Amino acid sequence: MSRREIRAQQQQGQPPVTLPLVVVTVEKGGTLIVTVDGSLFAPEAFAPAWRRSDFGRIMDRITDQRRTPVRVEVHESDGTSFTDIITPSPSRRTRPEPETANTETALETPAAPQLVEVAAEGFIPGEDIGVAIIVTHTDASHTGHARALLETAQFDASPTGEVVLIGRVSGNYEIVRHP
C-alpha cells in the first residue's frame, strides 16, 4: 500500500493497515525468544527452547494461526537486525470455495491415516516416554513396554526413517526404523 493510499485512508477516518509484529531475539547460544504483538510465543510445554533451525517452523505456525502476512524483526546477538514481511505459505492459505456444479455429487470422505506402531522394551514402569521426531508422548506400561502409534506421514518427515523412544526418567532410549 502506498503512502498516498495510507494518507487517503487516514483522511477518510479509516485506520491504516497494520500487520502483526513478530520480534525474534537471537541469544548468544543460538536460542530464540519470539514475541507476537508483544506477547511471548513459546514452544509447547516440555519442548526445548526455540533454536535458529526452528525459524521456518515458527513463522509457518504464526502465519497459519493468523492467516495473514506478518512483519518480522530479527535482532541478532551481535547487535545486527533485519526486518521482513512473511506471508503464509501457499499450502497454508485458505483455499477458495470450490465451484458447485448443478449436479449432485456424493461427499468424498477423507482416507483414514495409515498408522505405524513403534515399540521398545526396558523402560521403568509408568515412565513417560518421548517419541522423537517428538510428535507425541506415551507412557510405559506396568511392565516397562512403550508403544506409540504414528501416521506414516510423520515417519516420512524423518529423512532417516528413524524414530527414537526416550525415557525421560530412566534415560533409556530405543531407535526404531520405519519398516
Side-chain angles (χ1 to χ4, degrees):
M1 177 174 284
S2 71
R3 289 181 187 203
R4 185 182 326 170
E5 292 170 323
I6 292 172
R7 276 192 225 116
Q9 279 185 347
Q10 289 173 339
Q11 289 172 351
Q12 295 172 357
Q14 296 175 343
V17 175
T18 58
L19 297 175
L21 175 62
V22 178
V23 177
V24 179
T25 305
V26 183
E27 300 202 322
K28 291 225 185 265
T31 59
L32 306 178
I33 298 174
V34 181
T35 61
V36 179
D37 290 332
S39 298
L40 183 64
F41 187 80
E44 297 83 19
F46 304 111
W50 297 123
R51 307 280 307 164
R52 285 181 186 275
S53 59
D54 297 318
F55 184 82
R57 189 167 49 98
I58 295 167
M59 292 304 113
D60 280 347
R61 187 178 290 169
I62 291 170
T63 57
D64 186 40
Q65 286 176 355
R66 285 156 185 77
R67 297 183 182 186
T68 183
V70 295
R71 179 178 175 198
V72 180
E73 292 180 7
V74 178
H75 302 282
E76 294 285 345
S77 59
D78 65 1
T80 60
S81 63
F82 71 89
T83 302
D84 200 357
I85 304 292
I86 297 183
T87 58
S89 62
S91 63
R92 296 186 185 279
R93 289 186 189 144
T94 55
R95 293 188 176 100
E97 292 294 321
E99 295 181 22
T100 55
N102 291 336
T103 59
E104 292 184 30
T105 58
L107 294 175
E108 292 186 29
T109 57
Q114 294 180 339
L115 299 179
V116 177
E117 180 179 335
V118 178
E121 297 286 333
F123 297 100
I124 295 174
E127 174 179 15
D128 181 41
I129 307 297
V131 178
I133 318 161
I134 299 188
V135 294
T136 187
H137 282 199
T138 188
D139 293 328
S141 70
H142 67 284
T143 63
H145 179 85
R147 153 183 193 268
L149 290 176
L150 302 174
E151 291 185 26
T152 305
Q154 290 170 312
F155 255 117
D156 294 342
S158 167
T160 62
E162 294 176 328
V163 169
V164 181
L165 300 178
I166 304 168
R168 293 191 180 266
V169 175
S170 67
N172 184 39
Y173 67 92
E174 289 287 330
I175 300 173
V176 181
R177 280 192 125 332
H178 187 304

